[in-house]
Amino acid sequence: CTDLNEISTASSNSKTPSLQKSNNNEETTTPSDIEEPKKRAEKKDGCHDVRANLQQDGNYEEAQKSIEKAIRIATATSSCKQTDIELAKMHEFLGDISFKLGQFEKSKSCYKSAGDIFYCNQSGNEKDLARTLLKRGDLEVSMGNPGNANIYYSVSLKTWTKLLNEEQEKSKKEDETGNDEARHCHLLYNTGMLHVKQGNYKEAEELFLEVVSIGEKDTRNEKGLTTLAINANNSMGNIKYKKRRYEDAATYYTTAMELRKAIASKDEDGNVEDPSCREELVGLYTNLGRSFFQMKLLDESMKCFHKANRILMLEPQKCERSIASNWTQMGKVRCKQGQYQDARELYSDALKLEKKAASSSDVDNHTILLLRHNIAMSYCKEGQYMKGLEIMEHLLEREKKANGRSSLYAAKIYLDMCTIHLNLGNKSKMLSLLKTSSHILDERKIPENHPFMRERKSLQMKAEGVKKDMKFVSPLATKSYMRQKKTSLFCGF
């Protein structure tokens, strides 16, 4: 079954950034960051309470309302809004919550407000500005603007690199008295994350491995340092996964998971109490499950997805898209195991949740189309080619209407339809579709190592044999295909 999704960076829904530390960066705002003099106690306590309640119940909608109220109070009482760092951090926190809820325009406005204040007060607040720019870059990615994202990432990376160099120089001078390792690891990790976002994996690995090494040597069991080690191991796993070194990826994910479980507080039933920690575990189980899937350890993969599912279903505020994503992964395992009916049930259930979560104007978003694609491919793998083809043709029309005739996903649909028509014996149609797909891939200048290009190469090799066979084939195969098409029923997807 097709899988166009990338490995999760920390949560089960990679396109919905989370407030947990491992999802975006380690310099997220914490209650201790916003402790101010007594004259700002009302603002401080309001923000502190929002965070505390959010940790307890994971209710982001209520948290959003509360922080908006806190911002209104802070704005009304602030003597100089342009220099109020407390207010800036509130805007940033509201941006995080809005980001989590998928309210990207609102999140963009909040990050801009925070960034403007941090920029006017850079002295002593460079970390705050760099952190906000990094989040703004993540937001632009989610909004489909990678070019804009790179601009924010570049500026943020320059700032983090400057801060890291200053910290390393300071560390040399203070070698005899020791250094704040957690602060140093924060800088290492954030700089590494910026390198990842710009594709500089070698530089990122060096920084992440330094964090891992420091964490391994820590004898004080400092929670902040352990959390950074967890995130660094997870990030190393993501890099190894991207390089297709799945065993190495699984090792890093397992280490991160063991560290996370070791410091997580649990209730009397043994369930993790902190919602952000539970969310992080879902991400780690998902990443580990995907690694096992690529290693063809299907039973182990399914166990990981079941564990993630258990956490997701116990949440008081259930995230439908996270659950749908998990069920999709489980469907892929079942499909690989040849249990096509079970796979379709999982895909269909995930599809219902995605439709429920989607807005009325977003009923044909990419995730929904991919789920339908997976359902179609499960029919084809089962030998029910006409059912699969019906769905695929319907998907193609929707994709062309939404994104034009030359989208990359349209090329993928054409490639899969090539295989279906080849299995149906309709060789002329197969060659025609292969030509169309090749035109799109060449026009978009897709690199040769891309999965779609490898699939095209495989089909091109088969096409050479098809051309030779067509000199001797009778028209019966084509007539048989047309008879099947006339009698087949549309599957309703």
Side-chain angles (χ1 to χ4, degrees):
C1 297
T2 186
D3 183 5
L4 310 184
N5 299 319
E6 293 200 9
I7 191 71
S8 169
T9 55
S11 71
S12 56
N13 188 347
S14 59
K15 287 195 174 183
T16 306
S18 164
L19 300 185
Q20 67 188 38
K21 288 189 175 182
S22 66
N23 282 6
N24 289 324
N25 58 62
E26 299 318 304
E27 292 293 315
T28 51
T29 315
T30 61
S32 61
D33 290 331
I34 57 171
E35 291 177 3
E36 295 288 345
K38 288 183 178 180
K39 64 180 181 179
R40 295 184 177 179
E42 187 175 6
K43 290 190 291 181
K44 182 202 76 173
D45 291 341
C47 204
H48 185 282
D49 289 344
V50 173
R51 295 179 188 281
N53 292 336
L54 188 57
Q55 283 192 329
Q56 287 293 322
D57 57 25
N59 192 329
Y60 291 99
E61 288 83 0
E62 285 301 315
Q64 186 180 58
K65 292 176 184 177
S66 298
I67 199 66
E68 285 174 341
K69 181 180 178 181
I71 287 175
R72 286 195 296 272
I73 294 172
T75 303
T77 58
S78 178
S79 58
C80 184
K81 292 187 281 291
Q82 288 185 333
T83 59
D84 194 338
I85 301 303
E86 169 76 12
L87 180 61
K89 290 183 178 180
M90 286 185 177
H91 280 298
E92 181 189 0
F93 185 35
L94 181 58
D96 291 341
I97 294 173
S98 301
F99 204 167
K100 175 68 180 178
L101 293 172
Q103 300 171 5
F104 295 152
E105 287 297 334
K106 186 169 187 174
S107 179
K108 183 177 180 178
S109 175
C110 293
Y111 287 150
K112 183 180 184 304
S113 297
D116 287 347
I117 297 174
F118 290 140
Y119 182 77
C120 292
N121 303 272
Q122 287 190 53
S123 179
N125 296 294
E126 287 180 296
K127 281 186 183 180
D128 298 319
L129 178 60
R131 178 185 65 238
T132 306
L133 290 171
L134 190 156
K135 292 180 180 180
R136 182 69 185 272
D138 288 341
L139 174 62
E140 293 293 340
V141 169
S142 295
M143 295 178 73
N145 304 317
N148 290 347
N150 278 330
I151 294 172
Y152 288 107
Y153 289 151
S154 294
V155 178
S156 184
L157 176 59
K158 190 179 295 185
T159 305
W160 284 120
T161 303
K162 172 180 173 288
L163 291 169
L164 178 60
N165 290 337
E166 290 175 354
E167 178 69 22
Q168 288 171 334
E169 286 298 316
K170 183 180 178 182
S171 178
K172 291 177 183 177
K173 294 177 182 178
E174 299 178 356
D175 189 51
E176 293 182 3
T177 58
N179 187 41
D180 186 341
E181 291 179 329
R183 182 182 63 197
H184 183 56
C185 285
H186 269 111
L187 292 170
L188 289 169
Y189 182 79
N190 282 320
T191 307
M193 284 301 298
L194 265 301
H195 278 299
V196 167
K197 293 175 187 298
Q198 296 200 310
N200 306 324
Y201 298 114
K202 183 179 179 181
E203 292 86 346
E205 281 191 68
E206 292 175 357
L207 296 168
F208 291 146
L209 287 174
E210 188 172 347
V211 176
V212 170
S213 177
I214 293 172
E216 289 174 345
K217 295 173 183 177
D218 177 40
T219 57
R220 296 167 296 173
N221 294 321
E222 186 181 333
K223 189 172 181 179
L225 198 54
T226 302
T227 300
L228 286 164
I230 291 168
N231 296 326
N233 274 287
N234 185 52
S235 297
M236 280 298 299
N238 291 346
I239 292 174
K240 297 301 181 185
Y241 186 98
K242 194 171 186 67
K243 292 181 176 181
R244 300 184 186 178
R245 293 171 58 179
Y246 303 117
E247 290 186 20
D248 291 342
T251 299
Y252 281 111
Y253 292 142
T254 301
T255 300
M257 196 178 305
E258 290 173 350
L259 288 171
R260 171 49 65 198
K261 288 179 179 178
I263 65 171
S265 58
K266 299 178 181 178
D267 60 23
E268 57 186 23
D269 296 323
N271 298 315
V272 176
E273 292 182 315
D274 185 351
S276 65
C277 181
R278 293 197 297 270
E279 189 174 4
E280 189 173 2
L281 282 172
V282 168
L284 289 168
Y285 277 127
T286 300
N287 288 349
L288 184 58
R290 286 172 172 168
S291 298
F292 284 143
F293 181 82
Q294 295 295 342
M295 294 160 64
K296 297 182 172 55
L297 300 174
L298 301 182
D299 289 339
E300 293 300 315
S301 177
M302 186 58 88
K303 286 179 184 177
C304 289
F305 295 136
H306 273 303
K307 288 178 180 178
N309 189 62
R310 180 178 180 275
I311 297 173
L312 288 167
M313 298 308 290
L314 286 173
E315 288 295 313
Q317 301 291 328
K318 292 179 175 58
C319 178
E320 291 169 340
R321 279 187 162 150
S322 295
I323 295 170
S325 176
N326 187 61
W327 288 353
T328 301
Q329 297 299 328
M330 294 168 73
K332 290 173 184 175
V333 176
R334 289 292 181 237
C335 196
K336 201 75 171 178
Q337 290 174 326
Q339 300 178 31
Y340 302 114
Q341 182 60 40
D342 287 349
R344 281 194 293 276
E345 288 177 4
L346 286 161
Y347 291 147
S348 297
D349 288 343
L351 183 60
K352 290 174 186 176
L353 288 181
E354 284 290 348
K355 285 181 176 179
K356 185 178 177 182
S359 63
S360 58
S361 61
D362 196 30
V363 291
D364 282 339
N365 67 52
H366 193 56
T367 302
I368 289 176
L369 293 181
L370 282 179
L371 280 165
R372 290 181 170 131
H373 195 135
N374 286 343
I375 291 170
M377 293 304 293
S378 72
Y379 277 120
C380 295
K381 289 178 179 292
E382 201 172 25
Q384 299 187 56
Y385 297 115
M386 293 310 302
K387 281 189 176 181
L389 188 60
E390 289 276 8
I391 300 171
M392 206 72 77
E393 289 176 340
H394 191 57
L395 285 177
L396 182 60
E397 289 306 311
R398 289 190 174 191
E399 175 63 14
K400 288 194 291 188
K401 183 179 179 180
N403 299 306
R405 295 177 174 272
S406 299
S407 73
L408 188 57
Y409 180 48
K412 172 60 178 171
I413 296 175
Y414 282 125
L415 289 171
D416 285 339
M417 289 174 69
C418 284
T419 302
I420 296 172
H421 281 289
L422 183 61
N423 287 319
L424 284 169
N426 190 12
K427 298 176 181 178
S428 297
K429 187 68 174 177
M430 178 263 187
L431 293 173
S432 173
L433 292 169
L434 181 58
K435 183 178 179 180
T436 303
S437 179
S438 295
H439 176 73
I440 295 173
L441 293 171
D442 291 339
E443 186 180 68
R444 297 179 69 90
K445 298 179 180 179
I446 305 301
E448 289 297 323
N449 62 348
H450 193 281
F452 294 176
M453 296 297 283
R454 292 196 296 270
E455 188 175 350
R456 181 182 76 167
K457 186 176 181 180
S458 175
L459 286 166
Q460 285 175 332
M461 292 174 66
K462 293 176 182 177
E464 291 301 318
V466 166
K467 290 175 183 176
K468 294 178 182 178
D469 293 342
M470 285 182 67
K471 295 179 181 179
F472 310 101
V473 76
S474 73
L476 290 177
T478 301
K479 289 181 179 178
S480 173
Y481 158 72
M482 292 306 297
R483 283 198 301 273
Q484 291 183 65
K485 186 169 180 63
K486 287 178 181 178
T487 58
S488 66
L489 296 174
F490 178 61
C491 301
F493 292 101

